[in-house]
Amino acid sequence: MRGLWWSLQDPFCLVPRQFQEEVGAREAKALASALSNTNLDPFLLELHEMIMAALSRFEPEYELKEAFKFFLEDNQVPATSVATLTDALDPDIPVKNILSVWRTAAKTSKINVPAHSQERPAQGRH
């Protein structure tokens, strides 16, 4: 049971360690700033798909921006969407930081959620 609990807590627990290196604090701040101008829902979905389905095709030292672009193009994502999804990524970020990038985007997404989208509609009376 303990293994199941752990996997529920960390959806990336089976990702090889070579792809789990954290970005530095300065890089994380710059990344969060760049990502704040990005539609993070498709970014998170596509990057998650790359992590879960295609990460083994890439070396940890490859540029994440180029690898993500290749992954998106390989999956027939329209060129305009590819540009939009990869624009916020610094070319100096390697694939080995992919989980850190995904987590930074997820945190940024939570920070930038408009207050009105968190409100629940009134129940009962109309």
Side-chain angles (χ1 to χ4, degrees), residues 8-64:
L8 293 174
Q9 295 298 313
D10 182 4
F12 303 120
C13 65
L14 299 177
V15 173
R17 287 222 179 270
Q18 68 226 38
F19 298 106
Q20 295 187 27
E21 192 169 311
E22 295 293 320
V23 294
R26 183 177 295 145
E27 292 86 1
K29 188 173 181 176
L31 178 61
S33 178
L35 289 170
S36 68
N37 297 315
T38 301
N39 183 350
L40 290 173
D41 289 341
F43 179 86
L44 286 165
L45 287 171
E46 294 292 348
L47 196 61
H48 183 270
E49 181 68 21
M50 180 180 168
I51 292 167
M52 301 310 288
L55 196 53
S56 63
R57 298 187 330 201
F58 302 99
E59 292 296 322
E61 299 79 29
Y62 288 177
E63 286 182 11
L64 179 56

Side-chain angles (χ1 to χ4, degrees), residues 26-103:
R26 183 177 295 145
E27 292 86 1
K29 188 173 181 176
L31 178 61
S33 178
L35 289 170
S36 68
N37 297 315
T38 301
N39 183 350
L40 290 173
D41 289 341
F43 179 86
L44 286 165
L45 287 171
E46 294 292 348
L47 196 61
H48 183 270
E49 181 68 21
M50 180 180 168
I51 292 167
M52 301 310 288
L55 196 53
S56 63
R57 298 187 330 201
F58 302 99
E59 292 296 322
E61 299 79 29
Y62 288 177
E63 286 182 11
L64 179 56
K65 184 172 189 163
E66 286 303 310
F68 192 34
K69 181 179 176 185
F70 176 82
F71 169 78
L72 294 168
E73 290 170 345
D74 199 42
N75 286 294
Q76 286 89 36
V77 172
T80 55
S81 295
V82 170
T84 301
L85 290 168
T86 59
D87 194 42
L89 293 174
D90 186 315
D92 293 331
I93 298 174
V95 174
K96 66 183 175 184
N97 296 132
I98 193 166
L99 295 188
S100 185
V101 169
W102 189 92
R103 289 181 176 123

